[in-house]
Amino acid sequence: MAQLFKHYINGRWETGVTIGVSENPSDLADVVGEFARADANQTEQALRAAADARGAWADSTPQRRFEVLDAIGSELIARKEELGKLLAREEGKTLPEAIAEATRAGMIFKFFAGEALRLRGDRLPSVRPGVDVEVTREPVGVVALIAPWNFPLAIPAWKIAPALAWGNSVVFKPAELVPACAFALAEIIARSGLPAGVFNLVMGSGRMVGQTLVDSPLVDAISFTGSVPVGEGILAAASARRAKVQLEMGGKNPLIVLADADMDQAVECAVQGAYFSTGQRCTASSRLIVEAPVHQAFVDRLRERVRKLKVDHALKRGTEIGPVVDARQLETVRGYIDIGRSEGAELLCGGELIERETRGHYLAPALFLAQPQHRIAREEIFGPVACVLRADDAEHALALANDTPFGLCAGVCTRSLKQASHFKRQLQAGMVMVNLPTAGVDPHVPFGGRKGSSYGPREQGAYAAEFYTTVKTAYTLA
Ligand code: NAD
């Protein structure tokens, strides 16, 4: 019998109103498990539990919060192999990538365990004689955390850990494609000694569970990572009732290769950034902008490297690229490959379905030569597809890089300190990488974008306090 992944509501494991099934995208005959799906009533139970528990946790000592978060981080790291295996099986990224993600989730909890103790505040004189002023931070209250499927441990970790570190209570809604990972994380959190109701896991559809969270007057703040259309809907609903909101959405991230770049390094940045994790990363380098003098050499070398990438079962040793996450995403990605061809972009390699020992959603990584106006060069595809754009010179490359509605991450490969400084200043993105892939970020510094990619305060690092706390200014006449 398949394992049933349950909700965690008010300190108890609960079955759902309906049941969903989680499949292994590397092997469609392998059912990872069944999971509970909630309706609006069950979602509201979790919200009431979180609202009732908020006082107990908000008033807990920083030391207690440190201990809870540190214990969660330690268990994640101790069990990284087992959790990585589950993640690779359910989401389809390769085992080494999945183990690294489990480790990163643990590191995030440990970082925020420290933040729970590193509280800051100001005490200063008033402009009025005899009056003191204090500026302190308090928890926001009940936070709804809505996550996508592509980083099923790390993204929930970077929302749940700061929420708990600063004394909030949580209702966490994972994506329906990755309930086993959400359940595994919830099991670890449930063992950490939190009071009942402070952390709740509710699974189910975005339209039902997600929308109930977004519309509920019990929710003080919503942190969402996912697609642009869903994010825009959440922003409209949340601002109408003045809930705090933070959105991390898509990207169409440029990687610029200047003529003076180290070619080996540039090709490696492109391969890793564009295709690893099957290209299913909001920070993926999907636009490779190459300066004219090295364009042909770069394209030749990249094509050779992409052709040799090993696409196979995510758990198989030596696999470099796992399957696409599900049939729907595969259809979307293949649709973009057709659009690219029909608009006149040149497909240099890949794009075809491939068969392996097990039946899965395997796609050969695709590389296009495109023009800036092509849809494959403008819209987020979220799969193993990248396109190369040719730039006349460095300034043209910069203009092409910034010519996008998105602004999450941007990269530049160059040996020139002058160019590196210029591009760091001029790229319109929340994150800039020099001689590094656009994907791959640290857990202790802010993460987020500009323009259509993000809205609201940054996630991660000490900056996460902006979202998960609210400021109080107190005046005292002694
Ligand atoms: P999605 O928008 O379809 O779903 C994200 C989450 O929102 C899921 O949990 C979903 O169930 C929920 N949801 C759907 N409809 C909802 C509604 N009406 N109300 C409330 N919640 C709702 O995104 P996805 O397919 O899971 O993930 C892929 C997208 O996520 C890509 O666009 C990618 O760029 C983006 N992403 C962004 C970042 C980032 O930090 N910028 C990181 C990872 C993924």
Side-chain angles (χ1 to χ4, degrees):
M1 257 215 357
Q3 187 181 352
L4 177 66
F5 307 118
K6 294 181 180 175
H7 306 302
Y8 186 64
I9 299 174
N10 205 15
R12 285 188 297 271
W13 296 101
E14 303 276 359
T15 53
V17 176
T18 57
I19 283 179
V21 175
S22 170
E23 278 180 346
N24 177 348
S26 300
D27 177 2
L28 301 181
D30 176 31
V31 171
V32 180
E34 294 182 339
F35 64 99
R37 298 177 82 240
D39 62 3
N41 276 336
Q42 203 168 27
T43 309
E44 277 159 17
Q45 280 171 27
L47 283 169
R48 273 194 299 277
D52 291 346
R54 55 191 278 176
W57 187 240
D59 294 340
S60 64
T61 63
Q63 182 62 26
R64 170 117 194 261
R65 291 186 212 160
F66 167 83
E67 281 162 9
V68 164
L69 291 167
D70 191 57
I72 298 168
S74 295
E75 184 168 345
L76 282 163
I77 292 170
R79 292 175 53 200
K80 62 180 195 262
E81 311 272 341
E82 170 206 343
L83 293 166
K85 201 167 168 192
L86 177 70
L87 199 168
R89 184 174 163 218
E90 184 169 58
E91 194 267 349
K93 67 182 58 165
T94 64
L95 186 57
E97 289 173 325
I99 293 172
E101 182 176 337
T103 310
R104 179 169 163 202
M107 287 163 70
I108 292 167
F109 271 96
K110 288 202 168 263
F111 173 81
F112 283 108
E115 282 301 280
L117 287 171
R118 276 188 294 270
L119 295 173
R120 292 166 205 91
D122 294 319
R123 187 160 190 272
L124 52 158
S126 161
V127 294
R128 289 168 280 173
V131 174
D132 285 328
V133 185
E134 287 159 350
V135 183
T136 51
R137 287 189 177 269
E138 295 183 356
V140 187
V142 174
V143 297
L145 308 178
I146 302 176
W149 47 264
N150 64 329
F151 283 91
L153 290 177
I155 292 179
W158 82 49
K159 295 184 187 297
I160 296 167
L164 296 178
W166 285 307
N168 300 283
S169 48
V170 167
V171 179
F172 164 45
K173 184 233 163 307
E176 289 210 89
L177 290 174
V178 288
C181 289
F183 178 81
L185 182 59
E187 264 197 325
I188 294 171
I189 296 172
R191 267 197 292 279
S192 67
L194 278 174
V198 172
F199 170 80
N200 304 273
L201 163 71
V202 187
M203 294 174 282
S205 74
R207 206 164 297 161
M208 175 59 72
V209 177
Q211 201 63 50
T212 304
L213 295 176
V214 169
D215 292 337
S216 171
L218 292 176
V219 171
D220 300 291
I222 302 154
S223 178
F224 165 83
T225 301
S227 59
V228 174
V230 175
E232 282 173 349
I234 290 176
L235 178 60
S239 18
R241 61 178 190 82
R242 299 196 190 106
K244 204 168 178 181
V245 62
Q246 171 184 64
L247 309 173
E248 289 298 344
M249 301 176 285
K252 191 73 190 172
N253 310 290
L255 175 73
I256 298 148
V257 179
L258 294 183
D260 73 338
D262 174 329
M263 270 304 123
D264 290 338
Q265 189 178 54
V267 169
E268 221 33 56
C269 284
V271 168
Q272 283 206 23
Y275 299 108
F276 280 30
S277 298
T278 321
Q280 297 173 148
R281 299 191 280 198
C282 50
T283 48
S285 324
S286 47
R287 292 185 298 143
L288 310 170
I289 301 171
V290 187
E291 217 183 332
V294 291
H295 180 267
Q296 195 57 51
F298 176 84
V299 167
D300 292 344
R301 287 174 67 168
L302 181 61
R303 178 171 44 189
E304 275 324 291
R305 180 79 173 81
V306 173
R307 272 194 183 138
K308 288 187 188 137
L309 284 171
K310 290 196 186 74
V311 181
D312 210 328
H313 195 299
L315 290 170
K316 211 174 199 175
R317 191 184 290 267
T319 295
E320 291 176 287
I321 310 288
V324 172
V325 73
D326 74 344
R328 220 174 103 204
Q329 191 66 20
L330 183 64
E331 198 185 307
T332 305
V333 176
R334 294 184 72 205
Y336 270 108
I337 291 169
D338 290 344
I339 290 168
R341 279 196 180 120
S342 68
E343 287 190 346
E346 184 185 343
L347 182 61
L348 295 174
C349 66
E352 69 278 6
L353 292 179
I354 32 189
E355 289 187 4
R356 290 294 177 254
E357 269 169 40
T358 48
R359 199 164 64 85
H361 304 301
Y362 298 111
L363 183 71
L367 180 65
F368 277 98
L369 281 185
Q371 297 297 325
Q373 72 278 9
H374 289 150
R375 282 181 63 194
I376 57 164
R378 304 203 69 79
E379 297 172 19
E380 185 183 52
I381 300 176
F382 223 60
V385 183
C387 61
V388 178
L389 303 174
R390 186 189 168 99
D392 300 335
D393 54 30
E395 286 313 298
H396 185 211
L398 180 62
L400 287 172
N402 286 337
D403 177 23
T404 168
F406 296 106
L408 187 57
C409 193
V412 59
C413 291
T414 177
R415 287 184 169 109
S416 155
L417 183 59
K418 194 168 169 211
Q419 287 292 17
S421 305
H422 177 58
F423 276 80
K424 275 193 278 185
R425 274 195 293 269
Q426 298 302 327
L427 283 164
Q428 295 161 6
M431 296 173 289
V432 176
M433 308 286 181
V434 180
N435 297 324
L436 287 165
T438 54
V441 295
D442 284 2
H444 65 305
V445 286
F447 175 96
R450 296 183 185 173
K451 303 204 279 192
S453 288
S454 303
Y455 179 86
R458 289 282 187 270
E459 298 201 80
Q460 299 198 70
Y463 286 71
E466 276 312 307
F467 181 74
Y468 290 102
T469 63
T470 180
V471 169
K472 180 173 278 174
T473 313
Y475 296 83
T476 310
L477 176 62

